[in-house]
Amino acid sequence: MIDRAHTETTLWRTAVSAFSYYPTKHIDEPGYAVGEDIAWCLEPLSDIDHTELARLSDLVATAIMDPTAHRTALTKELERLADR
């Protein structure tokens, strides 16, 4: 079972990353890569299966870049993981 606090931390970190993200951020901040934000968001869940982590990575990435369209899918997946 995954600790709910870890899934909540992942969701919070994704929200922070989404709030500060914009498409040209890598131009304004040389060296910025959205992958670093994704890794930071998923760090609390680093003990889960690599297949699930890859799936979550995709969900976090899309939620950062377009939270309005993708936050529900990420939230549901995190809830599913916490309820196992």
Side-chain angles (χ1 to χ4, degrees):
M1 179 179 238
I2 295 172
D3 188 340
R4 181 170 290 280
H6 293 165
T7 60
E8 290 173 358
T9 300
T10 296
L11 188 59
W12 178 82
R13 288 180 179 194
T14 303
V16 169
S17 296
F19 184 75
S20 66
Y21 176 82
Y22 53 97
T24 59
K25 186 173 182 176
H26 66 283
I27 295 169
D28 296 336
E29 294 182 28
Y32 169 79
V34 73
E36 293 173 2
D37 285 345
I38 295 166
W40 177 66
C41 294
L42 292 174
E43 186 273 329
L45 301 176
S46 61
D47 292 338
I48 68 171
D49 174 72
H50 291 289
T51 304
E52 286 226 51
L53 202 55
R55 178 172 149 61
L56 280 172
S57 179
D58 291 342
L59 290 172
V60 168
T62 56
I64 289 171
M65 292 184 254
D66 189 355
T68 301
H70 301 286
R71 67 179 171 235
T72 302
L74 175 61
T75 301
K76 285 181 179 181
E77 183 62 17
L78 291 172
E79 287 174 0
R80 185 189 70 77
L81 288 172
D83 289 339
R84 289 200 282 172

